[in-house]
Amino acid sequence: MIYLIVIPMLLAVLLIPFVSGKKSFLISSVAAAISLALSSFFFFEYFNRPAIESVTWFTSGSIKFTLSMSASNLTLFMAILVSFISLLVLVFSNFYMRDEPQRRYYSEMSLFIFSMLGLVLSNSLLLFYVFWELVGVTSYLLIGFWYGREAPASAGKKALLLTRIGDIAFFAALVVLFVTLRTFSISTILADVSAIGPATLSIVASLLFIAVISKSAQFPFYTWLVDAMEGPTPVSALLHSATMVAAGAFLLVLMLPLFIEAGFGIVILSFGFFTAFLAALLALKEVHLKRILAYSTIESLSFMFIAAATANAGGAIFYLFTHAIFKSLLFFIAGALMVLFGSYDIYKLKSSKKNKGWLFVPAIIGFSSIAGLPPFMSFFAHLGVSANFTLADSLIFLLLSFLTALFSFRALFVAFGKGSGPRPIKNMYAYIPIIILSAISILGGVLLFYFSGVILINYSFDAFSVISVIASLLGVYVAFELFSRSRLPSAVSRSKAASVNLSKYGWDKIITAFGGSFMLFAVWIGRVDDAFIRLFSRLGEGFISLASASRAIENGDATAYVAAVLLGLVIIIAVAVVFV
Amino acid sequence: MIYLFSFLLMALIGVIALIVNTFLKCRLSEEKIVASVILASVVLFFSGLVFGFKSISVQLVSSIDFSFSLQLNGFSLPFMLIAVVVPAAVLWTAHKEIKQNKTLFYIFYLLAYASLISVFISYNLILLFIFWEAAVLSLFFIIAFWGDQKTRKGASIKFLVFTQLSSLTLLAVFILFFSYTGSFNLGVIQQLSALIPIGIQYIILSLLLVTVLIKMPLFPLHAWLPDAYTSAPTSGTILLSSLLSKMGGFALIIFGFEMIPSAMSGAQPFLIAIGLLTVIYISIVATAQRDLKRLFSYSSMIYMALIFIGISSLTTFGVDGAVLLIVSHSFIIALLFILSAELYDRTGTYDMSKMGGLASKMPVLSFFFVFSVLAVMGVPGLSNFVGELLVFLGAYSVLPISLIGLIGVIISTNYYLKAIKSTLFGQIRATFSKLGDVSRLDTLQLLLLSAFVVLAGVLPGLILSLVGATI
Amino acid sequence: MVPLSYILFLSVVLFAIGVYGVLSRKNGFGMLISAEIIINAALLNFVGASASLSSLSGASYALIILVMAVLEAVVFVGMLIAYSKKTSSVLLSKLRRFRG
């Protein structure tokens, strides 16, 4: 029955092409609401009574390939989260995407939501992979939604290309796992993980790791996420913060026993911290609000990875949940700023000097959430993330907290600088989702204590937590000094110095250079192949010219023919006489 | 019970009707005649799936064991599916592009159609060879007379020389089978093939390999492909890529996998290596292509290489995956070539760098284009995915290193996305501002092919159930 | 009985004359007549052999050859007629036109 959760979205995808533009919004949001209702219903129905439902997809030889979905506290919680955020995003889309082609947008969004819901409910890695690829494809379509412009089209292509590397790695891992263990079922695989030989285990773990870091935009794959901000803002809110990119972290959590068994804990931890630093430093250099949020997303995903690596899967999931809430809140605010004030550039927003009105308080909530300040929910999430930290981890985390607060409040102070004038209008489709998310961000922290019901979570409130809050507040203060008091030149140069070596443009240039040199290599190989082909053409032409040459014998001269016959006769007789 | 002979009969009636139509100057449109023949065959085929097929066997020359026998071998049905259905969709494309000597063209078309179906149901090797040659020669004439003016002469002759070589080695394989089993009958050979000494099996394998490497084609005997595919008229290209290349796969399955598996397993690393080399080499070559038709031609080879790897793995997974890829790729490559022909009709060029932004003028075409490219990339839910999965499962289980073939898949993603972006996205040029979208009938044709792709993607079991049917 | 060697000698001479004639004639009929001379040389050979070996098989072969010669002459004349209709001459120099 669990599959019923995804059916409304699937029906929406099938119906929308046949209805008018306005109705497509209604159909998709109603479908999302139904999915939300069903997810909640099933959550309580299957609470602490996990179940797995499977169906045979096809049979090859004597082996059945089954697709299974699992109804457990974790998967159904994720389903609730995904459908809830999706619903809010769809509502917000009615505000942001008002003047855009409706049907294409809502059908692609519905396809995405369908795939994402299917992904979180999958128990079979095969089914998980199917949805994993589908979310990647819908992401490509949605990023490149405004295909008429070069930037979104390239961004979409880059996103799919980079994530496809991870997808193929995932595919390879699937192949290895199935041949080794004869099953795709996650539960069975985790149970038998010790049966996999060490070499194979390392290979599988490496492949799955590549898959998760490409989907979750960690180093070295992070550039696609930053460029993905070319897509419509609701898309950024849903896919590229709350759900799709979290799928990588989700897979990591699901397969965590396998990674731990393969000894990958330290690898994940290192990649996580490195990416987090990279993202924080690069965020300091950005002026485009969505790109700042993108780097923040990358950093948050790193936090999820770090939590998982320290064997605190629950911490990762709770942070995922929290992040989904406050990041979509921030993207909604950014989208509202764009529609109401016309720009994503934080300095242009500052210089517009307009009254940001009702957006100000949610913005404070949102940016504070990035920094993990109490009393907001994300503070509690940070408690979860840092629960199993060693001393070294904690020190690094403190530095990160400082940097995070610095870049997030830089954005807040610059974009929401002094403004005056008439208050912006409150469009309900924008206003209500923002208010809802703000409310959850304020009140949701309490859920930390009940979260073990979903997945076992470690959290600790100790001296470290207090110190990290102090570090964040320090960051806020520094940001205030630098950016609120308009001391721009020195501030900009200071942040530039920090990020000049790790400039995203540098890494991006490396990737582009790699792509370019590969293209040159390909052109060269293409010429080799062309020469090879022409070689055979020449062979063929050689035959033809040989044929044309021997054509000269048939010249129609009867006398020559007779002479030839007689000559042949003489030769035959001579041969016969000599050899017989 | 549908007589297998009826397919040939229908085609024969069609040819006669075409000839009569020309000589008696009846004003019947040639396309309608061909369409009715093909439609009848499609109906016959699907009724056959429901009611079963009836074989026929007539002794013609007993001294060399030549009998006219048509019977389903275990792999006939999936191949028949594509041989019966794809030319139906292609007929519309042929109608749009062939304007001269239509009768002659459609005679060759029906000849190719009948031969292709009959190759897959021939139970006597001499008969199979006759139909094999007939198919090849019809395609040669189609390329030579209706192909692109400037390049068709060289391309068709190169095609002919290569495929005749492959036919020659195939004949040698048949003769070897005959001399060691005393029969040209497929069933008899299958039973006795285990008794062929292993040295001879290796010789048979080498000869068969030449045939298959030329036919599918694979590196290094692929030199005929780019020119032949690009010079042929679109309908010819689709017949080549969807059907003739699959004849090579058929030969490998029937004569390799079923009859000389011990030789194949001995040479397995070598075979899989050729496949992997083709995948990686050709994906790099394809990256450099700017001509859309040429790009799709090269990319077609990659799937043939995957099919080859699947069959060479000699596992149920691998062969099932190969069969799935064969059916799925037939439809998808037909879609791709039809769409590139549509783009050519509208923009006058196949060069991707000269197009751009066409999605704004042609939404339906763009939808199908993106759909087809996603399908060929192996997106799950569309037919190529399960085939690729099974092929790699089979290949990995015998030779773990075969996963490096996936590098080719990554490389190919690049040029597929580039193809979409260069042609459809971005700013449209001023010269193209007056282009129209595809017509209703075009949409119907594309929809039919796409429906098969989705159906096979969601329910691959349907195709897999066709394998192994012998009645 | 004439010695066999004389007959063979005559046959060879006739053959040589015939070959020379075929090679040097431009006129179609000339070629035909020379070819007939060659045939007759061969005939003479057979008849002589038959006479000296006192066997009838040589003579019977000779009869068969004679019939064949007639038939071949008929076919050749027919082709020459068709040729002369197209080129209004029996000189074979224009035969080039008919090469395929």
Side-chain angles (χ1 to χ4, degrees):
Chain A
M1 300 298 282
I2 321 168
Y3 63 85
L4 284 178
I5 296 179
V6 303
I7 296 295
M9 292 318 303
L10 184 61
L11 288 176
V13 176
L14 296 171
L15 277 177
I16 288 178
F18 299 105
V19 302
S20 74
K22 283 213 189 307
K23 292 217 185 69
S24 51
F25 162 66
L26 275 171
I27 293 180
S28 49
S29 23
V30 164
I34 298 178
S35 296
L36 178 59
L38 284 171
S39 314
S40 321
F41 170 69
F42 283 122
F43 180 74
F44 290 110
E45 174 95 355
Y46 285 97
F47 191 71
N48 286 338
R49 284 186 295 134
I52 295 182
E53 291 165 12
S54 49
V55 69
T56 305
W57 191 12
F58 60 90
T59 313
S60 168
S62 48
I63 314 276
K64 285 200 180 54
F65 286 74
T66 53
L67 304 173
S68 48
M69 284 193 165
S70 92
S72 70
N73 295 356
L74 177 61
T75 58
L76 288 167
F77 170 75
M78 291 294 293
I80 295 178
L81 177 66
V82 170
S83 36
F84 176 66
I85 301 283
S86 306
L87 183 59
L88 291 178
V89 167
L90 286 171
V91 169
F92 183 79
S93 305
N94 199 28
F95 159 73
Y96 190 85
M97 300 292 287
R98 214 159 244 158
D99 306 314
E100 303 292 339
Q102 301 276 300
R103 287 188 299 170
R104 180 158 65 96
Y105 175 75
Y106 284 109
S107 54
E108 287 175 359
M109 284 296 260
S110 305
L111 188 60
F112 169 79
I113 301 171
F114 160 70
S115 315
M116 193 67 211
L117 281 173
L119 187 146
V120 299
L121 291 170
S122 297
N123 179 57
S124 155
L125 264 186
L126 181 60
L127 188 61
F128 193 95
Y129 178 77
V130 167
F131 288 123
W132 176 277
E133 275 252 35
L134 281 177
V135 297
V137 167
T138 43
S139 160
Y140 161 72
L141 293 172
L142 283 166
I143 294 174
F145 185 73
W146 290 305
Y147 54 74
R149 295 202 334 253
E150 171 68 22
S154 303
K157 176 169 162 237
K158 181 193 267 187
L160 191 55
L161 196 53
L162 285 175
T163 49
R164 202 121 211 276
I165 298 177
D167 294 348
I168 300 296
F170 195 164
F171 183 85
L174 277 182
V175 168
V176 175
L177 277 173
F178 191 77
V179 171
T180 316
L181 291 176
R182 284 288 170 207
T183 177
F184 283 120
S185 159
I186 296 181
S187 25
T188 320
I189 292 175
L190 291 179
D192 289 340
V193 84
S194 41
I196 312 176
T200 318
L201 191 62
S202 306
I203 294 177
V204 171
S206 317
L207 290 169
L208 283 177
F209 184 62
I210 295 177
V212 303
I213 56 173
S214 91
K215 194 65 119 191
S216 292
Q218 302 293 289
F219 181 84
F221 294 102
Y222 66 89
T223 53
W224 75 260
L225 186 55
V226 184
D227 287 342
M229 296 296 118
E230 295 286 342
T233 302
V235 170
S236 309
L238 184 57
L239 276 74
H240 304 128
S241 52
T243 47
M244 181 181 110
V245 292
F250 184 63
L251 181 63
L252 180 65
V253 165
L254 284 179
M255 304 296 288
L256 197 56
L258 189 144
F259 285 108
I260 303 287
E261 181 82 15
F264 262 65
I266 189 71
V267 175
I268 304 175
L269 197 63
S270 331
F271 266 87
F273 274 125
F274 180 68
T275 309
F277 265 110
L278 193 60
L281 290 173
L282 290 173
L284 283 171
K285 206 180 135 126
E286 280 291 342
V287 298
H288 191 284
L289 183 56
K290 280 179 70 173
R291 290 165 81 97
I292 296 177
L293 292 177
Y295 282 115
S296 157
T297 305
I298 296 173
E299 189 195 31
S300 302
L301 291 165
S302 313
F303 285 172
M304 295 178 219
F305 274 54
I306 291 167
T310 53
N312 190 358
I317 298 289
F318 188 71
Y319 194 82
L320 194 158
F321 163 54
T322 318
H323 175 257
I325 304 286
F326 73 71
K327 198 40 73 61
S328 21
L329 170 65
L330 280 166
F331 271 109
F332 286 166
I333 294 173
L337 285 173
M338 175 61 173
V339 171
L340 296 173
F341 303 107
S343 172
Y344 284 116
D345 185 319
I346 51 177
Y347 285 103
K348 285 217 181 74
L349 284 170
K350 177 192 181 94
S351 55
S352 76
K353 291 217 188 302
K354 294 224 180 94
N355 187 350
K356 309 294 189 307
W358 55 274
L359 288 169
F360 187 56
V361 171
I364 295 183
I365 298 175
F367 285 106
S368 309
S369 299
I370 301 183
L373 294 176
F376 302 117
M377 186 164 63
S378 62
F379 165 69
F380 293 90
H382 277 225
L383 293 185
V385 166
S386 54
N388 291 353
F389 276 0
T390 63
L391 184 61
D393 299 332
S394 310
L395 289 174
I396 305 178
F397 194 73
L398 281 178
L399 188 53
L400 274 176
S401 307
F402 172 73
L403 286 173
T404 311
L406 184 60
F407 80 71
S408 58
F409 276 84
R410 163 181 178 256
L412 177 66
F413 289 138
V414 172
F416 284 82
K418 295 191 193 44
S420 56
R423 294 193 167 195
I425 49 169
K426 285 183 198 172
N427 181 306
M428 279 303 131
Y429 292 106
Y431 186 65
I432 294 189
I434 291 181
I435 294 299
I436 294 179
L437 289 173
S438 309
I440 301 179
S441 296
I442 299 175
L443 304 169
V446 103
L447 284 170
L448 176 68
F449 307 110
Y450 298 97
F451 206 66
S452 290
V454 172
I455 178 172
L456 200 58
I457 181 171
N458 282 352
Y459 53 88
S460 58
F461 182 76
D462 53 12
F464 169 69
S465 323
V466 177
I467 298 177
S468 63
V469 170
I470 294 175
S472 305
L473 287 172
L474 195 61
V476 173
Y477 174 69
V478 174
F480 181 70
E481 283 296 316
L482 294 178
F483 300 109
S484 190
R485 297 269 186 85
S486 303
R487 279 199 226 147
L488 251 61
S490 55
V492 168
S493 60
R494 209 173 301 174
S495 55
K496 262 201 166 62
S499 52
V500 72
N501 289 329
L502 297 159
S503 153
K504 168 246 175 193
Y505 296 104
W507 179 248
D508 208 34
K509 279 212 189 87
I510 293 176
I511 294 186
T512 317
F514 175 71
S517 53
F518 183 74
M519 190 65 192
L520 284 175
F521 175 63
V523 169
W524 181 72
I525 295 271
R527 288 212 199 100
V528 166
D529 197 63
D530 266 347
F532 187 64
I533 290 175
R534 253 173 284 139
L535 178 70
F536 282 95
S537 285
R538 251 175 249 138
L539 214 69
E541 278 154 31
F543 274 118
I544 296 178
S545 41
L546 197 67
S548 311
S550 44
R551 194 72 175 68
I553 297 180
E554 295 220 350
N555 51 14
D557 183 3
T559 313
Y561 291 173
V562 175
V565 168
L566 288 168
L567 185 63
L569 184 65
V570 167
I571 292 176
I572 291 177
I573 294 177
V575 167
V577 162
V578 168
F579 287 107
V580 174
Chain B
M1 294 288 259
I2 306 293
Y3 281 85
L4 285 172
F5 179 64
S6 53
F7 295 103
L8 273 172
L9 195 62
M10 303 259 44
L12 189 63
I13 295 176
V15 171
I16 295 178
L18 280 171
I19 297 178
V20 164
N21 182 43
T22 322
F23 280 111
L24 297 187
K25 303 243 189 291
C26 316
R27 228 88 57 68
L28 221 58
S29 138
E30 292 91 350
E31 287 90 345
K32 289 211 179 72
I33 298 176
V34 177
S36 23
V37 166
I38 294 186
L39 196 61
S41 306
V42 170
V43 169
L44 283 172
F45 175 70
F46 283 106
S47 337
L49 283 181
V50 174
F51 296 114
F53 290 99
K54 189 150 169 54
S55 39
I56 175 177
S57 186
V58 174
Q59 265 271 343
L60 293 178
V61 183
S62 57
S63 55
I64 52 168
D65 193 21
F66 176 32
S67 56
F68 187 90
S69 39
L70 301 175
Q71 189 180 330
L72 296 181
N73 57 64
F75 288 93
S76 298
L77 285 178
F79 287 94
M80 274 179 83
L81 173 67
I82 51 175
V84 167
V85 174
V86 171
V90 173
L91 186 61
W92 175 244
T93 309
H95 162 69
K96 283 196 292 180
E97 75 183 329
I98 306 291
K99 302 291 179 201
Q100 299 167 315
N101 295 328
K102 294 214 275 193
T103 308
L104 198 57
F105 177 82
Y106 286 112
I107 291 179
F108 283 124
Y109 195 81
L110 279 179
L111 191 59
Y113 186 64
S115 314
L116 282 165
I117 299 179
S118 311
V119 163
F120 302 129
I121 53 178
S122 294
Y123 218 64
N124 178 288
L125 292 185
I126 300 185
L127 191 67
L128 197 151
F129 187 75
I130 293 175
F131 285 124
W132 180 287
E133 285 291 276
V136 166
L137 288 172
S138 327
L139 254 303
F140 164 71
F141 283 114
I142 289 180
I143 301 177
F145 290 145
W146 290 275
D148 168 63
Q149 291 278 10
K150 277 176 269 173
T151 53
R152 65 188 180 194
K153 180 170 169 207
S156 56
I157 292 183
K158 201 160 48 161
F159 167 71
L160 187 66
V161 170
F162 266 94
T163 39
Q164 288 298 76
L165 178 63
S166 75
S167 306
L168 184 67
T169 46
L170 190 66
L171 189 60
V173 167
F174 290 169
I175 292 174
L176 276 174
F177 274 132
F178 180 70
S179 24
Y180 282 90
T181 56
S183 163
F184 276 122
N185 183 297
L186 214 65
V188 173
I189 300 179
Q190 257 168 356
Q191 284 175 330
L192 296 178
S193 58
L195 303 173
I196 302 178
I198 192 73
I200 305 294
Q201 285 198 15
Y202 275 110
I203 296 180
I204 294 179
L205 180 65
S206 323
L207 291 168
L208 185 65
L209 266 186
V210 173
T211 305
V212 170
L213 288 183
I214 293 180
K215 212 73 176 93
M216 289 177 87
L218 294 173
F219 182 87
L221 299 172
H222 66 284
W224 63 270
L225 176 131
D227 295 330
Y229 275 41
T230 49
S231 310
T234 308
S235 34
T237 311
I238 298 179
L239 285 178
L240 274 176
S241 59
S242 289
L243 296 168
L244 259 85
S245 51
K246 311 302 187 282
M247 276 162 62
F250 181 75
L252 190 63
I253 293 180
I254 302 293
F255 305 118
F257 174 66
E258 298 220 314
M259 294 187 189
I260 48 168
S262 16
M264 279 190 81
S265 91
Q268 197 171 61
F270 174 68
L271 296 177
I272 297 188
I274 296 182
L276 292 174
L277 185 60
T278 306
V279 170
I280 298 182
Y281 173 75
I282 295 296
S283 60
I284 300 180
V285 172
T287 311
Q289 299 304 319
R290 280 195 339 199
D291 180 311
L292 201 59
K293 203 171 175 186
R294 216 175 159 88
L295 178 72
F296 289 142
S297 311
Y298 275 114
S299 79
S300 172
M301 264 208 274
I302 296 184
Y303 294 92
M304 301 314 295
L306 285 178
I307 293 170
F308 182 81
I309 292 175
I311 302 173
S312 311
S313 73
L314 301 174
T315 60
T316 319
F317 286 155
V319 177
D320 275 350
V323 170
L324 267 174
L325 271 183
I326 283 174
V327 172
S328 144
H329 177 258
S330 278
F331 286 110
I332 297 177
I333 202 75
L335 271 172
L336 287 172
F337 279 122
I338 292 174
L339 288 164
S340 43
E342 298 278 359
L343 284 173
Y344 177 74
D345 283 341
R346 285 165 175 73
T347 59
T349 177
Y350 280 114
D351 190 333
M352 291 193 285
S353 58
K354 297 205 171 60
M355 303 188 209
L358 298 172
S360 48
K361 290 282 167 200
M362 303 185 274
V364 178
L365 185 100
S366 313
F367 169 73
F368 282 109
F369 195 86
V370 174
F371 174 83
S372 313
V373 171
L374 289 179
V376 83
M377 285 202 307
V379 167
L382 302 176
S383 45
N384 258 359
F385 171 66
V386 179
E388 281 184 21
L389 179 66
L390 287 173
V391 161
F392 276 104
L393 280 176
Y396 178 77
S397 57
V398 297
L399 193 66
I401 197 78
S402 36
L403 287 180
I404 59 173
L406 290 170
I407 297 180
V409 178
I410 297 180
I411 298 178
S412 55
T413 310
N414 179 41
Y415 60 72
Y416 285 131
L417 291 182
K418 192 172 70 155
I420 294 182
K421 182 161 170 279
S422 317
T423 55
L424 300 180
F425 295 163
Q427 288 288 14
I428 192 166
R429 290 166 196 250
T431 42
F432 296 148
S433 49
K434 290 214 177 51
L435 293 178
D437 206 349
V438 288
S439 69
R440 287 254 183 89
L441 279 171
D442 290 326
T443 312
L444 187 64
Q445 173 198 38
L446 294 168
L447 205 58
L448 280 174
L449 289 171
S450 310
F452 267 105
V453 172
V454 175
L455 191 63
V458 174
L459 296 172
L462 288 179
I463 311 290
L464 289 175
S465 63
L466 296 176
V467 175
T470 44
I471 43 154
Chain C
M1 178 69 216
V2 181
L4 183 60
S5 50
Y6 287 4
I7 299 179
L8 294 179
F9 181 69
L10 181 58
S11 151
V12 167
V13 167
L14 276 177
F15 184 81
I17 294 174
V19 168
Y20 171 70
V22 165
L23 288 177
S24 66
R25 293 288 136 217
K26 286 185 294 190
N27 191 314
F29 285 112
M31 272 193 154
L32 177 62
I33 293 168
S34 311
E36 291 292 315
I37 295 178
I38 296 177
I39 291 173
N40 280 295
L43 262 182
L44 193 59
N45 207 326
F46 270 107
V47 170
S50 160
S52 75
L53 297 176
S54 307
S55 126
L56 276 180
S57 31
S60 42
Y61 287 143
L63 272 175
I64 295 173
I65 295 173
L66 201 56
V67 173
M68 300 305 311
V70 172
L71 293 172
E72 168 242 324
V74 167
V75 170
F76 188 71
V77 170
M79 287 201 287
L80 268 183
I81 292 177
Y83 174 80
S84 71
K85 281 217 173 87
K86 281 276 163 72
T87 51
S88 58
S89 137
V90 283
L91 298 180
L92 292 177
S93 54
K94 301 213 176 94
L95 200 56
R96 271 179 188 275
R97 277 197 218 160
F98 298 96
R99 79 169 188 173

